[in-house]
């Protein structure tokens, strides 16, 4: 391609083949707890 | 079908939101994308004829079309129908308890109006807390892991209720097979050995608030007499983090405002103090607030 360079192939679609178990940790996203949920969550099924 | 595109560091970056694909594109593609879904190729050639040649536009158009066919641009949301068609019961996964509608600080950017949320300054009773534990368990359905956040105001102003809630939850876990993970968010002023040991033993995560450099923190995170908290809380936060061995989670958590847009210096200061888990996030306030 001359005009476009793809630097990351999308793989999000693949996640549908293995849907979540809905057990991962969750917190209300208000204020101070964004870090608890968004960052560094460990998978319960690992 | 969502695209997110922006220019940064001299690059035109295009993110295909639903697939996660990321592309760097030239100016021609960047401009053609503005018209790609709403105009035909001939119309785009006319729209952009003052900037690019017909051949350039056609080449860019063809490359966009190729990526679309490969599922790397304008991808449909694969989860849309799954979510829209999900008519099953919904269960509670997490609950946030405002243990204290009160605070011993009056941080200038506080969304909770210095802890009282514009209501009365009150503490949650142990009975209400225990009923909340029951409510979460009863409504968690098949989910084994549930979360309860202990929040405020400053929750350690009501440590008695915190202890009773946790004790009750441990009993209910045994009866029901659920696993309840607690988190607590604190301004660190009331931490002492007893409370730190309790938090270390019982909290899955502890969020410790400090905004970074002394002058930054003490400009905003102040007591009722106007004095800053930095010298009081830094050693307590260090002591708390010191106890979190064996991969136990914590966050040293700061908020940045327009007063410290160079907040990378606050991240570095906290890192220099030895903290490994640091989260600095933007303040969220109404448009006219002086600390937005």
């Amino acid at each position: 391609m001359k005009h476009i360079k793809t630097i990351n192939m999308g793989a999000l679609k693949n996640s549908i083949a293995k849907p979540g178990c809905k057990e991962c940790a969750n917190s209300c996203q208000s204020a101070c707890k964004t870090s608890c949920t968004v960052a560094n969550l460990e998978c319960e099924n690992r | 079908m969502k695209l997110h595109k922006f220019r940064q560091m001299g690059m035109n970056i295009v993110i295909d939101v639903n697939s996660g694909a990321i592309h760097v594109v030239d100016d021609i593609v960047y401009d053609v994308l503005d018209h790609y879904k709403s105009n035909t190729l001939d119309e785009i050639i006319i729209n952009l004829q003052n900037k690019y040649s017909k051949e350039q536009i056609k080449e860019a158009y063809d490359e966009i079309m190729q990526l679309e066919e490969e599922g790397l641009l304008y991808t449909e949301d694969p989860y849309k129908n799954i979510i829209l068609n999900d008519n099953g019961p919904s269960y509670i996964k997490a609950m946030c308890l405002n243990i204290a509608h009160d605070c011993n600080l009056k941080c200038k950017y506080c969304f909770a109006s210095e802890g009282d949320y514009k209501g009365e300054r009150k503490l949650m009773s142990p009975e209400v807390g225990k009923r909340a534990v029951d409510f979460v368990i009863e409504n968690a359905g098949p989910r084994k892991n549930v979360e309860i956040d202990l929040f405020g105001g400053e929750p350690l102003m009501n440590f008695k209720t915190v202890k009773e809630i946790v004790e009750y939850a441990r009993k209910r876990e045994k009866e029901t097979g659920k696993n309840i993970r607690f988190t607590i968010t604190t301004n660190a002023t009331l931490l002492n050995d007893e409370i730190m040991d309790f938090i270390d033993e019982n909290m899955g995560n502890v969020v410790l608030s400090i905004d970074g450099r002394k002058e930054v923190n003490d400009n905003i995170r102040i007591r009722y007499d106007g004095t800053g908290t930095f010298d009081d809380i830094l050693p307590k936060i260090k002591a708390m983090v010191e106890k979190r061995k064996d991969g136990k989670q914590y966050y040293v958590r700061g908020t940045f405002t327009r007063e410290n847009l160079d907040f990378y210096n606050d991240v570095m200061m906290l890192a220099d103090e030895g903290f490994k888990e640091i989260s600095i996030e933007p303040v969220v306030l109404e448009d006219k607030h002086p600390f937005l």
Side-chain angles (χ1 to χ4, degrees):
Chain A
M1 286 209 172
K2 198 168 143 192
H3 300 271
I4 303 175
K5 186 180 176 196
T6 298
I7 55 175
N8 183 55
M9 302 292 278
L12 298 183
K13 290 192 293 282
N14 301 342
S15 64
I16 211 159
K18 186 178 171 252
C21 67
K22 303 178 181 177
E23 288 289 355
C24 52
N26 209 329
S27 271
C28 148
Q29 286 297 289
S30 72
C32 316
K33 290 172 295 174
T34 315
S35 43
C36 293
T37 303
V38 178
N40 305 323
L41 268 186
E42 277 190 36
C43 177
E44 295 290 344
N45 276 329
R46 191 170 294 166
Chain B
M1 296 251 301
K2 265 188 164 172
L3 291 191
H4 178 57
K5 67 185 185 80
F6 57 95
R7 291 192 161 101
Q8 190 156 333
M9 294 184 294
M11 289 188 289
N12 301 323
I13 298 168
V14 178
I15 299 173
D16 184 47
V17 174
N18 290 328
S19 72
I22 303 173
H23 314 280
V24 176
V25 307
D26 65 9
D27 289 342
I28 312 169
V29 169
Y30 200 78
D31 287 340
V32 170
L33 284 170
D34 288 334
H35 305 274
Y36 183 78
K37 279 291 167 190
S38 49
N39 296 100
T40 65
L41 175 59
D42 288 339
E43 288 167 343
I44 297 170
I45 288 169
I46 294 166
N47 286 339
L48 297 175
Q49 62 184 350
N50 292 334
K51 289 180 88 173
Y52 311 113
S53 72
K54 182 179 171 182
E55 289 69 34
Q56 285 177 315
I57 294 169
K58 173 130 188 11
E59 263 181 14
Y61 188 92
D62 287 345
E63 289 190 14
I64 294 169
M65 198 160 67
Q66 188 185 330
L67 288 184
E68 187 180 10
E69 284 166 5
E70 289 172 7
L72 294 169
L73 268 183
Y74 295 109
T75 313
E76 294 285 348
D77 182 355
Y79 284 93
K80 188 176 165 189
N81 289 331
I82 293 175
I83 290 163
L84 290 177
N85 296 332
D86 181 3
N87 296 317
S90 76
Y91 302 108
I92 291 179
K93 173 72 174 124
M95 184 177 257
C96 177
L97 300 183
N98 285 6
I99 299 295
H101 269 196
D102 198 357
C103 192
N104 54 344
L105 300 185
K106 50 179 295 183
C107 305
K108 293 177 189 169
Y109 49 39
C110 187
F111 56 87
S113 309
E114 285 88 50
D116 64 11
Y117 291 87
K118 295 183 177 165
E120 285 179 70
R121 293 192 176 271
K122 272 185 157 178
L123 303 180
M124 179 181 282
S125 68
E127 288 66 39
V128 169
K130 289 175 190 172
R131 281 168 59 198
V133 171
D134 287 335
F135 183 84
V136 172
I137 289 171
E138 284 161 19
N139 291 282
R143 292 178 182 182
K144 177 172 163 42
N145 295 298
V146 293
E147 283 77 39
I148 295 180
D149 297 330
L150 307 174
F151 202 65
E154 171 48 49
L156 293 182
M157 289 179 81
N158 194 9
F159 185 53
K160 176 178 180 292
T161 291
V162 168
K163 276 200 297 193
E164 288 198 34
I165 287 173
V166 172
E167 190 182 335
Y168 182 70
R170 296 297 175 239
K171 181 176 135 227
R172 297 287 286 136
E173 280 178 323
K174 289 198 185 93
E175 293 165 3
T176 60
K178 300 285 186 197
N179 178 36
I180 299 177
R181 273 183 292 224
F182 285 98
T183 71
I184 194 164
T185 299
T186 177
N187 63 28
T189 54
L190 299 173
L191 290 175
N192 59 30
D193 284 340
E194 181 205 352
I195 292 176
M196 284 193 271
D197 285 340
F198 177 86
I199 287 176
D200 184 48
E201 189 177 330
N202 291 290
M203 298 295 133
N205 205 335
V206 51
V207 181
L208 301 151
S209 298
I210 183 169
D211 282 352
R213 290 164 291 176
K214 178 177 165 68
E215 63 272 23
V216 170
N217 185 85
D218 287 356
N219 181 36
I220 294 192
R221 301 190 63 79
I222 54 173
R223 299 184 188 86
Y224 273 79
D225 63 8
T227 56
T229 51
F230 183 89
D231 292 335
D232 178 31
I233 61 177
L234 183 61
K236 289 174 178 169
I237 292 174
K238 277 186 172 176
M240 184 71 250
V241 168
E242 185 66 26
K243 287 185 189 288
R244 301 297 274 175
K245 304 282 189 206
D246 307 325
K248 285 188 191 172
Q249 289 187 299
Y250 70 89
Y251 276 102
V252 174
R253 165 69 170 85
T255 299
F256 69 89
T257 73
R258 60 163 48 153
E259 306 273 304
N260 62 318
L261 293 177
D262 62 341
F263 61 89
Y264 64 91
N265 285 316
D266 297 295
V267 177
M268 294 214 294
M269 173 257 147
L270 293 169
D272 286 345
E273 291 293 343
F275 301 125
K276 303 291 183 207
E277 306 293 337
I278 301 166
S279 178
I280 303 284
E281 298 165 40
V283 74
V284 179
L285 289 168
E286 65 273 23
D287 284 348
K288 287 177 182 164
H289 196 287
F291 283 100
L292 178 65

